[in-house]
Amino acid sequence: MKKLALIFMVFFVFSCSTKNSINDKSLSRKGEYPSLPEVILNAGHRGLEGQTIRLADYRGNVVLVNLWATWCGPCRKEIPVLVELQERYKDDGLVVVGLDVDESESKELIEDFARQMKINYTLGWIDAKSQKEFLKLSRFEGVPQSFLIGREGELMAIFTGGSAETISKLEDFVGRAVRE
């Protein structure tokens, strides 16, 4: 298991990217994106507080799922924006969920990191099987990557990499999604 975690860590270290890639179809056209596969919606992710995180439990909210790791530079650049979005739109039904792709990162490491970064949203880990399902959608094998999910469980946008343009689009799309 440690060997598998090391392989994923090495893979993602070299994949961590500021490359810009945005799937930016219109948010206003219902049916433009498919519903998320049940395997993604119902997967149980281990939460930092010991809870099980299931995306299906957030139906009725706009959910931004962010795949990240503490060692990822572009992730660190993006996190303050995610913190700000969670604060600004929490009363409008936005839920940000950060899933660490590196299962070998300890709870203590993530808690210290979350304190330093003032993270105000739900954190947990994503296992290799669930990562594969998200990667099928994004076709991007690095971090950060985020998935914007509408109130009815539909995929609204995918953001990959940590470029300034990607982060700006993410902010815009989240604002539009919570107003729909």
Side-chain angles (χ1 to χ4, degrees):
M1 189 58 137
K2 278 189 173 184
K3 187 173 184 178
L4 181 61
L6 181 60
I7 290 168
F8 272 111
M9 187 171 133
V10 169
F11 173 74
F12 279 107
V13 165
F14 291 107
S15 297
C16 193
S17 175
T18 58
K19 177 184 167 193
N20 179 32
S21 179
I22 306 165
N23 188 345
D24 63 354
K25 294 179 182 176
S26 170
L27 292 177
S28 61
R29 292 189 291 219
K30 293 287 182 198
E32 185 81 24
Y33 288 95
S35 291
L36 279 176
E38 290 299 315
V39 68
I40 289 177
L41 285 172
N42 291 314
H45 307 289
R46 186 170 45 113
L48 191 62
E49 303 303 321
Q51 79 280 31
T52 298
I53 301 167
R54 283 189 215 300
L55 299 179
D57 293 343
Y58 296 113
R59 192 169 292 268
N61 294 290
V62 173
V63 180
L64 183 64
V65 179
N66 178 253
L67 304 185
W68 69 286
T70 62
W71 40 256
C72 170
C75 299
R76 289 171 177 257
K77 186 171 100 176
E78 180 181 65
I79 286 171
V81 173
L82 301 179
V83 167
E84 197 274 324
L85 288 170
Q86 178 63 63
E87 184 61 33
R88 184 183 331 157
Y89 296 119
K90 67 182 174 192
D91 294 335
D92 297 317
L94 177 67
V95 176
V96 178
V97 177
L99 297 175
D100 191 328
V101 300
D102 187 348
E103 290 183 280
S104 72
E105 291 192 329
S106 70
K107 179 180 189 222
E108 294 76 22
L109 174 69
I110 294 173
E111 285 174 335
D112 288 345
F113 181 82
R115 262 190 302 282
Q116 290 170 14
M117 299 297 290
K118 299 181 171 114
I119 293 176
N120 59 352
Y121 51 86
T122 301
L123 293 175
W125 293 267
I126 186 169
D127 63 36
K129 180 180 175 187
S130 294
Q131 283 181 49
K132 282 179 145 180
E133 294 300 323
F134 276 103
L135 296 179
K136 285 179 191 176
L137 295 173
S138 68
R139 297 186 179 131
F140 179 74
E141 299 197 7
V143 288
Q145 55 181 293
S146 295
F147 301 80
L148 185 60
I149 304 166
R151 296 180 195 278
E152 297 171 22
E154 75 279 12
L155 180 62
M156 298 181 82
I158 299 171
F159 306 91
T160 57
S163 73
E165 181 184 358
T166 298
I167 293 170
S168 177
K169 286 272 191 178
L170 184 144
E171 288 179 278
D172 177 52
F173 277 41
V174 167
R176 290 169 43 201
V178 298
R179 290 188 294 272
E180 279 192 2

